[in-house]
Amino acid sequence: GQQVMQIPQYQHVQEGEDFTTYCNSSTTLSNIQWYKQRPGGHPVFLIQLVKSGEVKKQKRLTFQFGEAKKNSSLHITATQTTDVGTYFCAGTSGTYKYIFGTGTRLKVLA
Amino acid sequence: DAGVTQSPTHLIKTRGQHVTLRCSPISGHKSVSWYQQVLGQGPQFIFQYYEKEERGRGNFPDRFSARQFPNYSSELNVNALLLGDSALYLCASSLRMGVTEAFFGQGTRLTVV
């Protein structure tokens, strides 16, 4: 079945450093979504990418969808302590069944 | 506007028992999806309902069932509970099916002892 993997599993950064998480699907995706989940909280929608090669920015966050629509990345510039949490990608192959990635847990050291 | 509401927030059940979890979507949202999140892992898709019909099902046993009511609220039922069913159960609502943003509720923390 479809699998979505994320790397790294954990990332500790010093405040002000950049952070990137990568998402790889075993199958071609029709679209991909990114979520952030704070410790003890629920996933919160960040963005959705649909087009091959699409790049979207939200302030310090940059999201990219690969040309083959099988991978995606989230890059955070100059991390802040408020960026702490687990970042999940979730992709679908068009069946509306979203497969969540394994997540990347980000810890920001002040 | 109220967000997605789930009840109860916490629940402790004994192995073999049955549980019903409830979800009220955001007003105007017609699609509800259920996910199971085991500690340290990503949410696993269980069901999606749209306009009161099941539109998608994940790889969960038949002990798991759900339904959506005319007011678009939804119930997730789990029979013959196992210890491995202990997890956070999340409900997500969206305006419609397809390429659309999903809003998650706070979840129901189910512990099976």
Side-chain angles (χ1 to χ4, degrees):
Chain A
Q2 181 187 1
Q3 290 186 324
V4 179
M5 303 296 293
Q6 279 183 255
I7 54 171
Q9 189 176 3
Y10 300 96
Q11 184 83 58
H12 293 182
V13 298
Q14 204 69 36
E15 189 175 21
E17 292 182 336
D18 292 356
F19 160 77
T20 303
T21 173
Y22 300 91
C23 177
N24 294 288
S25 170
S26 59
T27 59
T28 302
L29 302 170
S30 58
N31 70 79
I32 194 161
Q33 298 179 340
W34 283 92
Y35 292 83
K36 176 183 177 181
Q37 186 172 23
R38 292 181 185 275
H42 60 279
V44 174
F45 177 87
L46 295 176
I47 205 137
Q48 181 166 267
L49 304 170
V50 179
K51 299 176 185 176
S52 169
E54 188 170 15
V55 178
K56 286 189 177 180
K57 293 189 177 185
Q58 288 180 351
K59 298 182 181 178
R60 295 178 296 105
L61 278 60
T62 301
F63 304 84
Q64 192 163 8
F65 202 6
E67 294 289 341
K69 300 184 78 172
K70 293 183 73 173
N71 56 72
S72 181
S73 65
L74 158 60
H75 178 82
I76 301 178
T77 304
T79 54
Q80 301 175 357
T81 54
T82 52
D83 295 326
V84 164
T86 301
Y87 292 84
F88 292 102
C89 62
T92 180
S93 299
T95 62
Y96 310 127
K97 173 182 167 182
Y98 277 89
I99 306 298
F100 274 72
T102 46
T104 296
R105 189 175 301 176
L106 174 64
K107 188 170 183 176
V108 180
L109 307 171
Chain B
D1 271 346
V4 179
T5 56
Q6 290 186 245
S7 63
T9 54
H10 295 83
L11 200 54
I12 299 175
K13 289 285 191 178
T14 305
R15 275 180 301 174
Q17 284 189 314
H18 161 270
V19 70
T20 298
L21 310 181
R22 295 177 175 84
C23 172
S24 292
I26 291 171
S27 177
H29 285 197
K30 298 182 178 181
S31 177
V32 169
S33 296
W34 286 95
Y35 291 83
Q36 180 196 66
Q37 187 175 27
V38 174
L39 197 62
Q41 297 182 19
Q44 300 273 324
F45 173 81
I46 311 176
F47 287 111
Q48 183 182 35
Y49 277 78
Y50 178 70
E51 288 287 13
K52 292 151 281 183
E53 289 188 14
E54 181 184 305
R55 304 291 182 148
R57 173 185 283 254
N59 297 325
F60 280 81
D62 292 342
R63 298 185 296 108
F64 288 76
S65 64
R67 53 181 176 167
Q68 187 176 33
F69 298 99
N71 66 353
Y72 302 107
S73 66
S74 178
E75 279 183 358
L76 175 70
N77 295 283
V78 187
N79 293 323
L81 285 167
L82 303 174
L83 295 180
D85 295 331
S86 296
L88 180 67
Y89 288 84
L90 294 161
C91 170
S93 86
S94 52
L95 199 56
R96 61 186 187 278
M97 286 185 64
V99 184
T100 184
E101 176 179 353
F103 295 83
F104 281 83
Q106 295 285 357
T108 294
R109 172 73 61 189
L110 172 66
T111 302
V112 183
V113 297

